[in-house]
Amino acid sequence: MTYCVGMMVDKGLVLMSDTRTNSGVDNISVFPKMFQWQVPGERMLAVMTAGNLATTQAVISLLEERSKAPDDRDNALLQAPTMFQVATEIGKLLREVIDSRQAANNARGKGRFTATIILAGQINGMEPRLFMIYPEGNFIEATTDTPFFQIGETKYGRPIILRGYDRAMSFEDAVKLLMVSFDSTLKANLSVGMPLDMMVIEKGGFEVTHQARINQDDPYFQSVSSKWGDALRKAFHSLPDYSFSKGD
């Protein structure tokens, strides 16, 4: 399984993903699910993937080939004039890869090769944008009403973000909020695992502002996890006691 979050704040974009893939309790591997491309001073693009690993790796490999293509080749990923068109191209590629995999496996391939992608980035002259791209190739864009997207194992970490999110929050607080969200997910689902990849993209920077891989023994993550657990227990015990006696 997977857990990835892309979040918009006033200052830019914050992304975080886990790295665990597994097919059974005794077959666990680490693969990155966050990827980036940039043209200094002109555009910064990042994607996170969830779903069938062969499908997502094929899509990323094709995108990598396009980003490293000769100068005289039309490169839709790095030459598209808007983030909307970048999302359209990635959605088209994702649908083509899924269709080809399913067709090659006939009835056995139905529903087995799906994937979902979060696209984040900014092109010079435009605002940062955030999209969620579905297996069918269509997509939706984040708004002020829906300022973050999750893919993969979303249910355990979502309540944390809903309660703690503030569009005006600093990058540091946004990272802290995502760490709490991931800690809650890690505690609840063994198919999501460390290390975590994290990226911050400042508005108008057109480059990675901050990037880190957070391992199991990371002191900051351990401190957040421990103190969050303590805070929850204190909050629970501070709630009014329930009484079995009528009228109390």
Side-chain angles (χ1 to χ4, degrees):
M1 200 58 177
T2 295
Y3 184 40
C4 302
V5 182
M7 178 187 296
M8 296 187 70
V9 294
D10 286 340
K11 290 188 173 182
L13 300 158
V14 183
L15 314 176
M16 191 173 288
S17 70
D18 84 316
T19 56
R20 175 169 290 186
T21 63
N22 65 294
S23 55
V25 295
D26 59 349
N27 186 15
I28 297 173
S29 301
V30 173
F31 286 93
K33 301 169 188 177
M34 182 185 297
F35 307 88
Q36 59 176 290
W37 301 270
Q38 59 183 297
V39 178
E42 197 274 328
R43 70 181 61 202
M44 174 69 211
L45 308 174
V47 301
M48 294 182 291
T49 63
N52 178 266
L53 182 60
T55 299
T56 59
Q57 286 193 334
V59 171
I60 295 302
S61 294
L62 289 167
L63 292 175
E64 289 282 3
E65 284 187 5
R66 293 183 181 189
S67 69
K68 297 174 182 177
D71 291 339
D72 59 351
R73 177 179 171 181
D74 182 27
N75 187 326
L77 185 65
L78 297 183
Q79 294 183 9
T82 67
M83 286 295 298
F84 182 89
Q85 291 187 34
V86 173
T88 299
E89 289 296 326
I90 294 177
K92 179 181 177 182
L93 179 60
L94 175 61
R95 185 180 68 248
E96 289 173 352
V97 170
I98 292 173
D99 287 347
S100 66
R101 296 293 191 276
Q102 291 182 343
N105 286 271
N106 301 316
R108 294 177 301 169
K110 187 175 182 180
R112 293 182 57 193
F113 298 98
T114 61
T116 309
I117 292 175
I118 290 177
L119 165 67
Q122 184 180 13
I123 294 175
N124 195 9
M126 291 168 252
E127 292 292 308
R129 299 175 76 175
L130 181 68
F131 299 87
M132 181 155 65
I133 305 172
Y134 295 101
E136 296 79 9
N138 58 329
F139 53 85
I140 58 175
E141 182 174 2
T143 65
T144 54
D145 293 324
T146 306
F148 66 90
F149 287 135
Q150 302 167 281
I151 53 176
E153 187 55 82
T154 63
K155 57 184 176 289
Y156 302 109
R158 184 174 180 81
I160 305 297
I161 301 176
L162 287 173
R163 286 181 176 272
Y165 175 81
D166 181 351
R167 192 178 181 92
M169 69 197 317
S170 66
F171 281 140
E172 292 82 0
D173 281 349
V175 169
K176 180 166 59 176
L177 179 62
L178 290 188
M179 287 209 181
V180 174
S181 176
F182 272 76
D183 177 65
S184 299
T185 304
L186 291 165
K187 291 283 195 298
N189 194 314
L190 292 176
S191 68
V192 177
M194 306 283 277
L196 308 178
D197 286 331
M198 181 262 292
M199 182 186 300
V200 175
I201 305 170
E202 187 171 5
K203 181 179 179 180
F206 307 109
E207 62 182 6
V208 176
T209 304
H210 180 74
Q211 188 170 17
R213 172 157 283 195
I214 303 156
N215 293 299
Q216 186 69 46
D217 57 355
D218 181 87
Y220 179 73
F221 183 83
Q222 290 298 323
S223 176
V224 167
S225 177
S226 175
K227 291 181 178 180
W228 176 248
D230 292 342
L232 283 177
R233 284 187 286 272
K234 289 179 182 178
F236 172 75
H237 290 298
S238 72
L239 295 173
D241 290 332
Y242 178 79
S243 174
F244 287 101
S245 301
K246 292 183 177 180
D248 291 348

